[in-house]
Amino acid sequence: MTQVYFDHNATTKVDDAVLEAMLPYFREHYGNASSSHSLGLVARRAIDRAREQVAQAIGARPAQVIFTSGGSEANNLFIRGVADSLKPSALIVSAIEHPCVMRTAQALTRKNGEKWQLHYLTVNAAGQVKADEATEMLVSEKSAMVSVMLANNETGVIQDITSIAEAAKAQGAWIHTDAVQAFGKVPVNFDELGIHAMTLSAHKIYGPKGAAALIIDPRLPLRPLIYGGGHEDGLRSGTENVPAIVGFGAACELAISRLTESMAHMVKLRDHLEHGLLAMGAVVFGLDASRLPNTCYFALPDIEGDTLVVRLDKRGFAVASGAACSSAVPGKSHVLEAMNVPTILARCAVRISLGPDNTIEEVDAFLSAVRHIADELRKMSVLLDV
């Protein structure tokens, strides 16, 4: 049975062109980029080229790109790195942030001595951060840092980062956005967003796991989390993962070259998928908001999400009952909770995240499988109630 992969927000396979770019740096060009001999210089030039590719993809300069091991490290680097440079005051994050932002922010409030005050921006029923509330909170709390994701990993809802960034700057706050889910699916430009820092990750855009970046405004007050040999302009020490960084750069270049075509294709698939789901009585979360073109987060009100995911997997469809990073707490979504979705409905949530290689035929097969599984489970429920 061929597996149909509908979980691209969790991770993506490495593109053939990306893998081809990486392979020489495992065995042929294996030098340490900090070495002064020819093998080391080849590795250094490869990293420099990748830095240019990442920067070009989001309208930044190469010197603004700080390579890290993943999006979680990059988010930690902003929050903890800036916090260590400032006198503790207030930090604002949205109530729907990825756990690596949420938990890092919460950890600052538990430090010994002076502690940071953490405030959450609420969202409306569509999963959109209330920009006017952000402005009011920035004024009243005199926050030093703000972090709001560009697109949510569960709902796909895109946030008005530009407005929030304007409000943050007006109050002298440093503003960061986690763009891991948005990049490669919609246009992303560092300067146009008006931010001071942005997080990207390779494995969401058909690159390898183990490579990501924090893009920074040169004025950002930032201290490293990892000290050592002074790599990445002293902000992230450690021998560079050259093959992964090369793959990251190649993936960025490919993502930009394919973006327009990919967006159009995935919107077509998603709309077709949601038309079929709505006809079955499904609820689609964030339906009326601006969303990523590939993401559909839905619930069949009387079908447990985890049960549906398991049964779909047996039929050859890989989907998620929420965010992969939150799978340790099945049936619990802090995103849906923030949207005031009733708990009983939230437990029915299933996330579909499409990719450019998916087809209408796969979507139709998926809809047929969902319909069959739902009918089967409902019949079982009726029998159990008799």
Side-chain angles (χ1 to χ4, degrees):
M1 179 175 60
T2 302
Q3 187 86 346
V4 176
Y5 190 72
F6 282 168
D7 198 19
H8 292 83
N9 284 8
T11 196
T12 58
K13 68 179 181 181
V14 175
D15 188 277
D16 289 344
V18 172
L19 181 59
E20 185 178 349
M22 293 172 62
L23 285 176
Y25 296 92
F26 284 106
R27 293 177 65 92
E28 184 180 350
H29 305 308
Y30 55 85
N32 186 321
S34 295
S35 298
S36 58
H37 50 62
S38 58
L39 280 175
L41 294 175
V42 168
R44 174 55 57 197
R45 284 195 292 269
I47 291 175
D48 290 343
R49 171 60 180 150
R51 202 182 306 276
E52 291 172 358
Q53 290 170 309
V54 174
Q56 187 173 11
I58 45 90
R61 296 181 298 280
Q64 295 177 260
V65 178
I66 307 301
F67 287 121
T68 67
S69 66
S72 292
E73 184 190 338
N75 286 339
N76 271 261
L77 178 56
F78 169 77
I79 295 173
R80 294 170 57 194
V82 173
D84 284 348
S85 302
L86 303 175
K87 181 178 175 61
S89 57
L91 164 63
I92 294 176
V93 302
S94 81
I96 58 169
E97 292 302 307
H98 188 280
C100 69
V101 168
M102 194 80 75
R103 292 173 186 168
T104 305
Q106 291 167 351
L108 290 183
T109 69
R110 297 191 293 267
K111 292 180 69 175
N112 293 329
E114 293 184 284
K115 300 177 182 178
W116 283 79
Q117 301 300 312
L118 178 59
H119 304 280
Y120 296 102
L121 294 172
T122 60
V123 297
N124 59 24
Q128 298 164 309
V129 172
K130 302 171 185 176
D132 55 345
E133 180 184 299
T135 301
E136 293 175 6
M137 190 176 291
L138 278 159
V139 172
S140 63
E141 301 301 339
K142 294 182 173 56
S143 299
M145 285 193 291
V146 183
S147 184
V148 178
M149 62 187 1
L150 183 52
N152 185 258
N153 49 303
E154 294 185 32
T155 63
V157 171
I158 298 171
Q159 307 300 332
D160 184 5
I161 298 300
T162 303
S163 295
I164 297 171
E166 288 178 358
K169 286 184 171 180
Q171 299 302 318
W174 300 102
I175 172 76
H176 163 263
T177 189
D178 178 348
V180 165
Q181 287 297 342
F183 180 59
K185 302 183 182 91
V186 293
V188 174
N189 184 282
F190 186 89
D191 287 337
E192 290 177 3
L193 288 172
I195 52 179
H196 295 114
M198 171 194 289
T199 296
L200 306 175
S201 181
H203 80 102
K204 306 292 188 179
I205 57 167
Y206 301 87
K209 298 172 181 66
L214 182 69
I215 317 300
I216 61 170
D217 183 311
R219 297 167 295 180
L220 186 72
L222 192 66
R223 291 185 181 174
L225 303 184
I226 301 173
Y227 290 87
H231 309 77
E232 295 302 299
D233 200 25
L235 292 174
R236 202 285 182 183
S237 291
T239 301
E240 297 96 337
N241 184 349
V242 180
I245 290 172
V246 167
F248 187 13
C252 285
E253 200 167 78
L254 283 173
I256 297 307
S257 70
R258 300 169 177 174
L259 184 60
T260 301
E261 181 182 356
S262 176
M263 286 176 62
H265 177 65
M266 289 191 289
V267 165
K268 180 181 177 181
L269 293 185
R270 188 197 65 189
D271 289 352
H272 184 71
L273 169 66
E274 292 181 347
H275 178 77
L277 291 171
L278 291 169
M280 293 183 215
V283 174
V284 177
F285 303 110
L287 182 63
D288 297 325
S290 176
R291 289 177 294 151
L292 297 176
N294 78 317
T295 305
C296 171
Y297 200 28
F298 76 95
L300 290 171
D302 54 346
I303 306 296
E304 189 87 8
D306 288 336
T307 301
L308 185 55
V309 167
V310 170
R311 290 187 173 243
L312 282 167
D313 185 54
K314 291 179 179 178
R315 287 175 173 265
F317 296 94
V319 301
S321 57
C325 57
S326 301
S327 59
V329 190
K332 181 74 171 178
S333 166
H334 73 285
V335 174
L336 295 182
E337 185 177 16
M339 293 166 63
N340 290 318
V341 174
T343 302
I344 193 168
L345 181 61
R347 290 183 64 86
C348 301
V350 173
R351 184 188 68 184
I352 309 300
S353 45
L354 305 160
D357 294 334
N358 290 135
T359 65
I360 286 286
E361 291 75 20
E362 289 174 340
V363 171
D364 283 334
F366 173 80
L367 290 169
S368 178
V370 170
R371 191 177 299 108
H372 181 87
I373 293 168
D375 289 345
E376 190 177 66
L377 291 172
R378 286 166 182 148
K379 288 176 182 176
M380 290 174 58
S381 179
V382 169
L383 290 173
L384 290 172
D385 290 339
V386 172

